[in-house]
Amino acid sequence: MRVVKAAAVQLSPVLYSREATVDKIVRTITELGQQGVRFATFPETVVPYYPYFSFLQPAYQIVAGREHLKLLDQSVTVPSPATHAIGDACREAGVVASIGVNERDGGTLYNTQLLFDADGALIQRRRKITPTYHERMIWGQGDGSGLCAVDSRVGRIGQLACWEHYNPLARYALMSDGEQIHSAMYPGSIFGNLFSEQTEVNVRQHALESACFVVCATAWLDADQQAQIAQDTGGSIGPISGGCFTAIVAPDGTLLGEAVRSGEGVVIADLDFARIDKRKQLMDSRGHYSRPELLSLRIDRTPAAHVGDRTNRNADD
């Protein structure tokens, strides 16, 4: 039976710098590879940084201010030198990595999860389907094409960002697709300690229902970064404190190792896939514990296109 060494990474972005944050991630992937890690999850939109300003500023300040434009300028296009650098690091280290980025597509930003295989190939780019509350001022909506698990060197992986874990149908889309490792990412350093407790409930429940391993990562803002964001937005530090929970959860809902709740740090654990079968022997949500004749999920995984070009129309149309 397969055993995979995995890492949940809690780290700080290099504030306001895509290039420096990518360099930091590349170094971390290299270090993890040297430790024998074969799968790693990094925080939500850690490249270049989560838009904390959108929680501190009202709408009119976002429109009139510079913070949104700064984020737009430093965000990631796919493909780009930033994605090539991360892919190269994964190939050289032999690590499969799930990384959250602010993705720029034209003039719109998306909360995007990038999954790189151990050969450096980008095997999934999925966008958060519904930005949460204040995030709707910043990000566009994703489509259903990413609501699936994908095969990688280490196993079948599904990804969701933050409060997508409060959408039971989105989670079941991945459960039904047979995910073995679930990559969960949250912003961290926001919403206070209650948010970290809620995150723990979120990911442990998903592990139990999906009978998979959950590798969950949140970001961390140090005191200087908090002060800088507060100064730049005119907000206070309180709302961008706490809220961290970086951990690895087994299919029976137990934590593998001690969670990281403050500071930078890494949780590393061995994922023994025999534990998936043991859990599913009791409860398989996509098999003997489901009742498809009573309850079923309809998913539209068609990629959403902004323009449809009908090139085969008849002359009489």
Side-chain angles (χ1 to χ4, degrees):
M1 187 61 67
R2 180 182 301 156
V3 177
V4 173
K5 181 170 283 191
V9 183
Q10 183 161 298
L11 85 171
S12 303
V14 180
L15 203 58
Y16 306 148
S17 175
R18 174 186 60 243
E19 184 175 350
T21 301
V22 168
D23 286 347
K24 186 172 184 178
I25 288 172
V26 165
R27 292 195 304 271
T28 303
I29 290 171
T30 300
E31 293 167 1
L32 292 174
Q34 292 169 350
Q35 297 176 59
V37 169
R38 291 297 168 256
F39 175 75
T41 292
F42 289 81
E44 179 182 6
T45 60
V46 69
V47 185
Y49 51 90
Y50 179 83
Y52 295 97
F53 65 89
S54 63
F55 191 61
L56 297 178
Q57 292 183 319
Y60 75 91
Q61 285 186 330
I62 293 175
V63 172
R66 297 181 58 252
E67 299 308 308
H68 192 179
L69 294 178
K70 281 163 50 177
L71 181 61
L72 187 69
D73 178 66
Q74 290 297 307
S75 291
V76 176
T77 56
V78 181
S80 67
T83 60
H84 293 326
I86 295 170
D88 290 345
C90 289
R91 184 184 68 253
E92 293 170 8
V95 173
V96 180
S98 172
I99 298 170
V101 304
N102 289 274
E103 179 195 0
R104 177 172 182 168
D105 187 352
T108 298
L109 292 176
Y110 296 92
N111 178 334
T112 298
Q113 293 172 292
L114 302 179
L115 183 63
F116 296 88
D117 211 345
D119 63 357
L122 180 61
I123 56 176
Q124 189 177 56
R125 176 184 67 172
R126 70 165 304 271
R127 294 168 172 173
K128 187 174 183 179
I129 53 175
T130 302
T132 302
Y133 192 52
H134 60 286
E135 296 173 352
R136 294 173 190 172
M137 291 291 297
I138 308 302
W139 294 320
Q141 294 183 320
D143 58 33
S145 63
L147 288 177
C148 61
V150 294
D151 291 317
S152 74
R153 189 80 60 85
V154 297
R156 195 157 175 80
I157 299 173
Q159 305 180 102
L160 289 177
C162 200
W163 277 18
E164 288 185 310
H165 293 89
Y166 284 149
N167 188 327
L169 300 183
R171 292 195 301 107
Y172 192 70
L174 300 183
M175 295 181 202
S176 66
D177 214 24
E179 64 176 354
Q180 296 168 308
I181 302 173
H182 179 79
S183 176
M185 49 184 71
Y186 294 74
S189 286
I190 197 169
F191 307 135
N193 292 331
L194 176 60
F195 189 65
S196 64
E197 295 172 7
Q198 293 169 338
T199 299
E200 180 175 0
V201 172
N202 253 183
V203 297
R204 295 182 77 167
Q205 181 67 19
H206 185 71
L208 282 167
E209 292 182 351
S210 187
C212 72
F213 292 95
V214 177
V215 183
C216 175
T218 59
W220 168 256
L221 294 177
D222 62 32
D224 290 340
Q225 290 174 318
Q226 289 174 313
Q228 184 66 58
I229 292 171
Q231 175 182 317
D232 293 343
T233 61
S236 61
I237 290 174
I240 54 172
S241 301
C244 295
F245 183 77
T246 292
I248 298 178
V249 189
D252 61 3
T254 57
L255 297 182
L256 299 179
E258 184 175 352
V260 179
R261 300 174 187 270
S262 65
E264 292 191 302
V266 180
V267 179
I268 295 177
D270 288 332
L271 313 185
D272 183 351
F273 280 33
R275 299 185 69 165
I276 297 175
D277 290 340
K278 185 176 181 180
R279 172 64 180 165
K280 288 190 174 183
Q281 182 182 2
L282 297 174
M283 193 289 300
D284 184 357
S285 62
R286 65 185 290 236
H288 63 79
Y289 210 74
S290 67
R291 290 292 304 275
E293 78 283 12
L294 302 178
L295 303 166
S296 61
L297 171 65
R298 185 176 69 247
I299 307 170
D300 183 358
R301 290 193 171 109
T302 305
H306 294 285
V307 176
D309 188 0
R310 296 184 61 189
T311 58
N312 296 320
R313 298 195 311 178
N314 294 326
D316 295 335
D317 288 351

